Amino acid sequence: MNEKLLQPYNPKNTEERVYAVWEKSGFFNPDVCIEKGIASRNSQVFSIVLPPPNVTGVLHMGHSVMLALQDAMVRFNRMAGKKTLWVPGVDHAAIATQSVVEKKILKEEDKSRHDLGREEFLRRVDIFTKESHDTIVNQVKRMGASLDWSREAFTLDEKRNRAVRVAFKKMYDDGLIYRGLKIVNWDPKMQTTVSDDEIEWEEETRPFYYLKYGPFTIATARPETKFGDKYVVMHPKDKRYSNYLHGQKIELDWINGPITATVIKDNAIDMEFGTGVMTITPWHDAADFDIAERHQLDKEQIIDDKGKLLPIAGEFAGQHIKKARPMIVEKLQSKGLVEKIDEKYVGRIATNSRSGGIIEPQIKCQWFVAVNKKFKLEHSKIEGLKSGQQVTLRELMKHVVESGEIRIIPEHFQKIYFHWIENLHDWCISRQIWYGHRIPVWYKNEVVGAANASPEDMRVCPPTPLGDDWKQDEDTLDTWFSSGLWTFSTLGWPDETEDLKTYHPTAVLETGQDLIFFWVARMILMTGYLRGEVPFKTVYLHGIVRDKEGKKMSKSKGNGVDPITMIEKYGADAVRMSLIVGWGPGSDMKISEEKLKAYKHFANKLWNIARFVMSNIPEEGVEKPKTVTKENALSLQEFEMLTEEVSLDLREYRFHLASEKLYQYIWHTFADIIIERSKKSITDGSDVEKLSAQWLLYTLLRDCLKLLHPFMPFITEELWSITQKSKLPLMVESWTKKIS
RNA sequence: GGGCGGUUAGCUCAGUUGGUAGAGCGCGUCAUUGACGUUGACGAUGUCAGAGGUUCAAGUCCUCUACCGCCCACCA
């Protein structure tokens, strides 16, 4: 018997070695599999892209879950003989990365990015991301992920940059990307816009002021924005104010002296709320902006990009709004303009989820993707949409899920997806940060930042215009713009490469449920538009990993469980199993060390099963005996049923069931019943009984290793090399081979 | 304000199309020192949140209620 089996299983001494063998074999690469006859050129295809982890990050439990699930899918399909490709990559994660590097430089050198300048700052980011890249990649490998590293991609490398430029240009030419002066979410802390989806709303109890505005009482939580308010708005049907007419002018005394206010009647007013009258601040409130647009009213900026009051605030000009607020209230009070203050008003505060900066809406000239504009869909391969048909991006996104061309698991996320689409607005894609894909637009004659640049003064590349008088747009693109191209930009698009033809659309996108809007929806949008097809046929969403108490893991709370520490303690296979067994898609999971421990025990059990089997069969191996006893034949039948069930579960994305069934079977049927029974047959049984029992043990061991391989690749591979004479690694053994 | 989930054994959760309630951990009793104590055998524990309905049959389908959680939203 192999000496390794005399020792207990030691994941530490095994995992790194086994991974090296896999990598060296080249079998992570489907081209090698075809070359070596593992898969054939016309085999079915199974492809996935790895949701790229942030380049600056370290592995967390969420990554471990996705790696465990995706690797299980990939290994199963590879063993089933499909041409199987899993594409790795990392994400430049624009805002997150820039923010990390900025903080680092501030801490170490006490310098801001502006002190360094754009070029130098970006150089620093590059250095940082290169170092950081290797960390995350090595951590991914430790989970056992069978990714084809020869195809690794980066969301911000030259190839992806080309894809971004081509996509941008096409969308611009089709009128789906436009530049416009609109109200956007401005983060004064990071000095950039952010999209609606990146905003987090928090409830906060704060004072609510009822102010005298001429003959009216208006209510506001933000008196510091009210300096320029010169429109007073009410509902046209509000009888309380029926003697005021739309457009009527009213003279009144306001914060900094007498003003002329204009009455506006608009249906957006809620008669039940406050006094049913409000003044508007179109520059700093999205709802007010819309009212102003509807009636073509003036808009004035009150607060600058840094959160300081502008000259319109009179004596308060130059002060930060936070500091100025109490003084403004004081002045209003001294003028007798404050009617009452409700101290218990619960309002909402918008913050940038990345930086924590409090959002101040601002009107800015930005780039947007138009989601409600019709365009001509070219080369459609989408069911139910013809080439040349006019659709909007929003319709497209809805259609492919509604028609079932994309299946979302668990199913109820469809409803969440549709609900989101109902509320979808144009997507602001320009960011004022430096790290990211620079907007491929060039200007001359100083029209940078102007809303109405003429075509002569603005070029969208490719091609990049020549000449010194052209200046590139300073802004970069929202990181999700390039992420939206990920399934095909990784395969060579915009070139029609062999990879693209073979592996796109991908089979499945497996990711966290929190990414359904950010990423999943945007991939559907981009792929539908640019390729007339879907990016993937199935979306599998896993839930959030929580700690034992059910709290979300986070760095700041310090309650995060570090996967690498867990791998060292319990082995990667145990970590993988504990993240898959009994965890249905879409629901949150509490992880505890007890669970990890349980699967370490399971690995040990398996190891000992192998030891028992190998020490109870002849050294030279076993042949199928002429006579198989009835009970052994029955056991075999039972196992064949299990194989069927597990295979079906794997095909249907029921990993939590497949893995649990295997655990149950191996421990409580194979070990507890079949092995126990075989002891008698081997020691006291007839020759027929003995040979039959030995053969069954050996057969079951071999095939259990196969079935378990997608979930616990390291230990099964190790046992395979110890117990089997095969020259090929288990990872490319044939799954479906009938039990002989 | 709109939407989506969850509520099953002490704890963590399964339960795929409706067909006599399951697993792991924990607990109890016993066994076993030549596969494994990271063990084995046996066992206890549930009006499947509550109410109503459909059905021969409901944890599973429908309606309502309660509590918990999440997402979306321009109530100033």
Side-chain angles (χ1 to χ4, degrees):
Chain A
M1 194 171 63
N2 190 302
E3 275 188 20
K4 280 184 189 164
L5 277 182
L6 298 174
Q7 308 288 325
Y9 176 57
N10 185 336
K12 263 192 192 169
N13 297 345
T14 307
E15 291 171 359
E16 205 178 327
R17 178 169 39 82
V18 167
Y19 197 88
V21 170
W22 288 332
E23 264 199 295
K24 209 179 150 203
S25 77
F27 289 132
F28 291 168
N29 182 339
D31 302 334
V32 174
C33 288
I34 293 166
E35 212 174 282
K36 300 264 174 81
I38 306 298
S40 93
R41 211 158 282 281
N42 28 15
S43 299
Q44 280 184 288
V45 171
F46 185 86
S47 56
I48 321 189
V49 290
L50 175 74
N54 287 3
V55 66
T56 60
V58 291
L59 207 70
H60 59 243
M61 274 298 170
H63 292 131
S64 300
V65 174
M66 78 177 189
L67 291 167
L69 282 166
Q70 289 170 36
D71 198 44
M73 300 177 194
V74 166
R75 285 180 187 272
F76 165 64
N77 282 285
R78 192 186 289 120
M79 289 173 84
K82 292 189 189 168
K83 271 193 281 188
T84 303
L85 174 63
W86 188 16
V87 184
V90 289
D91 193 333
H92 69 285
I95 291 190
T97 302
Q98 167 151 338
S99 151
V100 167
V101 177
E102 272 187 278
K103 270 182 207 152
K104 189 169 176 264
I105 292 171
L106 187 71
K107 196 178 164 194
E108 288 167 9
E109 302 170 43
D110 197 28
K111 282 181 180 162
S112 77
R113 65 171 153 131
H114 299 283
D115 294 332
L116 295 179
R118 187 167 189 146
E119 211 173 309
E120 174 62 14
F121 178 75
L122 290 179
R123 204 181 62 83
R124 300 289 188 93
V125 178
D126 272 344
I127 293 170
F128 183 72
T129 54
K130 282 203 177 88
E131 279 172 18
S132 181
H133 166 269
D134 296 349
T135 309
I136 190 85
V137 164
N138 284 327
Q139 292 184 332
V140 167
K141 290 182 179 178
R142 292 201 62 179
M143 282 295 295
S146 56
L147 288 149
D148 180 3
W149 296 103
S150 72
R151 286 174 164 89
E152 190 187 344
F154 179 44
T155 54
L156 194 60
D157 59 18
E158 194 34 56
K159 284 182 182 166
R160 262 45 67 175
N161 189 251
R162 181 167 158 240
V164 162
R165 293 196 311 265
V166 170
F168 188 100
K169 165 91 168 165
K170 185 171 161 56
M171 292 180 91
Y172 178 80
D173 290 344
D174 273 347
L176 293 178
I177 285 184
Y178 66 93
R179 202 156 174 256
L181 207 53
K182 293 184 37 160
I183 191 150
V184 292
N185 307 302
W186 177 259
D187 176 4
K189 195 169 167 188
M190 278 214 82
Q191 292 288 299
T192 181
T193 55
V194 289
S195 70
D196 296 344
D197 295 298
E198 285 163 308
I199 283 181
E200 252 164 39
W201 292 90
E202 281 159 38
E203 289 207 331
E204 195 191 68
T205 306
R206 50 183 172 160
F208 197 53
Y209 306 92
Y210 287 80
L211 306 177
K212 270 191 191 145
Y213 190 80
F216 308 104
T217 302
I218 58 153
T220 182
R222 300 196 62 197
E224 71 275 14
T225 66
K226 299 274 132 192
F227 292 99
D229 288 15
K230 56 182 182 182
Y231 299 104
V232 58
V233 192
M234 57 212 73
H235 198 281
K237 286 189 184 149
D238 196 329
K239 287 188 182 127
R240 290 170 292 181
Y241 308 109
S242 54
N243 50 336
Y244 295 97
L245 302 172
H246 182 82
Q248 184 178 343
K249 305 276 183 203
I250 295 169
E251 303 293 327
L252 57 92
D253 186 39
W254 194 224
I255 315 174
N256 286 336
I259 59 160
T260 306
T262 308
V263 173
I264 299 293
K265 302 263 176 167
D266 193 285
N267 290 325
I269 301 298
D270 179 356
M271 290 188 269
E272 308 291 312
F273 187 84
T275 55
V277 186
M278 68 175 198
T279 59
I280 56 168
T281 314
W283 203 283
H284 302 289
D285 185 289
D288 295 1
F289 177 85
D290 284 350
I291 293 172
E293 286 282 280
R294 270 199 290 280
H295 303 282
Q296 298 184 326
L297 310 178
D298 297 339
K299 308 179 190 88
E300 264 173 294
Q301 187 174 9
I302 316 295
I303 301 161
D304 74 4
D305 287 354
K306 296 201 168 138
K308 288 183 177 161
L309 289 161
L310 289 164
I312 191 169
E315 64 196 88
F316 302 104
Q319 296 200 41
H320 195 273
I321 46 171
K322 208 175 157 188
K323 281 188 185 162
R325 186 183 304 164
M327 292 186 277
I328 294 166
V329 171
E330 208 173 294
K331 179 165 184 194
L332 284 162
Q333 273 168 329
S334 71
K335 292 187 78 168
L337 294 175
V338 179
E339 201 155 89
K340 70 169 180 178
I341 302 174
D342 175 3
E343 294 286 349
K344 284 184 191 156
Y345 173 75
V346 180
R348 295 191 316 154
I349 303 272
T351 56
N352 177 358
S353 55
R354 291 286 177 191
S355 73
I358 294 172
I359 297 298
E360 183 64 67
Q362 293 276 7
I363 297 177
K364 283 188 174 288
C365 185
Q366 297 292 323
W367 288 96
F368 296 88
V369 169
V371 294
N372 292 313
K373 187 161 183 222
K374 294 265 185 196
F375 66 94
K376 204 168 93 182
L377 184 66
E378 292 168 9
H379 315 297
S380 174
K381 287 172 234 162
I382 295 169
E383 292 164 29
L385 292 179
K386 289 181 208 123
S387 295
Q389 192 170 335
Q390 294 279 329
V391 282
T392 67
L393 290 171
R394 193 217 287 252
E395 286 161 359
L396 186 65
M397 280 193 271
K398 195 171 171 202
H399 175 86
V400 290
V401 175
E402 215 164 37
S403 70
E405 193 166 352
I406 292 177
R407 174 185 172 202
I408 301 180
I409 300 171
E411 213 172 323
H412 74 258
F413 272 89
Q414 271 199 21
K415 292 182 195 163
I416 295 174
Y417 177 82
F418 289 137
H419 187 246
W420 178 79
I421 287 182
E422 291 301 312
N423 293 308
L424 193 60
H425 299 293
D426 283 2
W427 168 25
C428 176
I429 52 170
S430 43
R431 298 288 178 276
Q432 288 66 52
I433 58 173
W434 289 345
Y435 188 55
H437 291 280
R438 192 139 169 200
I439 290 181
V441 178
W442 301 72
Y443 310 91
K444 67 175 177 185
N445 298 328
E446 304 300 320
V447 297
V448 183
N452 50 353
S454 71
E456 293 88 61
D457 291 337
M458 185 171 99
R459 292 273 170 78
V460 176
C461 90
T464 306
L466 299 169
D468 291 343
D469 47 346
W470 288 99
K471 270 191 192 153
Q472 188 171 6
D473 199 299
E474 291 286 317
D475 292 356
T476 50
L477 284 164
D478 180 7
T479 191
W480 299 105
F481 189 92
S482 52
S483 306
L485 314 175
W486 194 240
T487 58
F488 51 94
S489 68
T490 50
L491 295 173
W493 189 88
D495 298 324
E496 276 299 313
T497 59
E498 276 306 307
D499 268 7
L500 189 56
K501 282 183 221 158
T502 310
Y503 297 108
H504 203 269
T506 60
V508 53
L509 182 83
E510 196 288 324
T511 190
Q513 48 149 345
D514 48 333
L515 287 173
I516 185 165
F517 310 133
F518 280 120
W519 194 35
V520 176
R522 265 133 202 187
M523 287 170 112
I524 295 173
L525 181 160
M526 289 294 196
T527 315
Y529 168 70
L530 290 163
R531 299 203 33 89
E533 62 184 354
V534 292
F536 30 69
K537 290 158 201 149
T538 302
V539 176
Y540 183 101
L541 299 167
H542 64 252
I544 297 166
V545 192
R546 297 173 179 281
D547 71 3
K548 222 159 83 184
E549 271 77 50
K551 293 197 183 95
K552 207 169 163 176
M553 291 184 184
S554 73
K555 263 190 210 162
S556 53
K557 278 185 207 142
N559 63 343
V561 176
D562 173 34
I564 300 300
T565 312
M566 294 302 117
I567 288 172
E568 263 156 27
K569 217 161 156 188
Y570 302 104
D573 291 322
V575 172
R576 293 168 59 121
M577 275 297 267
S578 69
L579 292 172
I580 293 180
V581 178
W583 189 15
S587 52
D588 291 357
M589 171 200 241
K590 292 176 198 166
I591 185 84
S592 62
E593 286 206 40
E594 284 84 73
K595 194 169 180 189
L596 288 158
K597 215 160 114 188
Y599 293 102
K600 185 181 163 64
H601 294 176
F602 180 56
N604 176 71
K605 187 75 184 180
L606 184 67
W607 190 259
N608 279 297
I609 288 170
R611 182 195 293 176
F612 178 84
V613 172
M614 296 318 282
S615 59
N616 281 286
I617 59 167
E619 195 75 30
E620 64 277 11
V622 282
E623 295 282 312
K624 184 172 184 181
K626 283 188 189 118
T627 316
V628 175
T629 65
K630 225 182 208 170
E631 58 177 13
N632 285 352
L634 259 161
S635 292
L636 204 59
Q637 226 171 43
E638 192 187 356
F639 181 76
E640 277 169 357
M641 275 167 58
L642 173 82
T643 307
E644 290 293 316
E645 273 183 55
V646 167
S647 305
L648 188 66
D649 283 338
L650 283 167
R651 278 195 292 272
E652 293 293 319
Y653 299 98
R654 297 189 292 252
F655 308 101
H656 60 301
L657 298 186
S659 53
E660 187 165 359
K661 282 174 191 166
L662 286 168
Y663 177 95
Q664 281 301 313
Y665 180 83
I666 289 169
W667 200 312
H668 299 298
T669 300
F670 188 16
D672 290 348
I673 297 173
I674 296 171
I675 286 185
E676 288 306 321
R677 193 176 70 201
S678 76
K679 286 177 182 170
K680 254 187 214 159
S681 310
I682 291 170
T683 50
D684 310 329
S686 65
D687 274 1
V688 167
E689 282 168 344
K690 184 175 172 178
L691 290 174
S692 171
Q694 287 177 326
W695 172 76
L696 181 71
L697 289 180
Y698 185 72
T699 305
L700 288 180
L701 173 64
R702 183 193 64 206
D703 289 334
C704 280
L705 290 179
K706 284 189 187 181
L707 295 189
L708 199 56
H709 182 73
F711 301 104
M712 302 182 84
F714 289 111
I715 188 173
T716 51
E717 187 71 77
E718 179 74 347
L719 284 173
W720 186 263
S721 74
I722 293 170
T723 65
Q724 306 294 315
K725 294 182 181 107
S726 163
K727 278 180 195 153
L728 288 173
L730 175 57
M731 67 165 284
V732 289
E733 264 300 314
S734 166
W735 179 271
T736 50
K737 198 191 280 173
K738 270 281 161 206
I739 295 158
S740 49

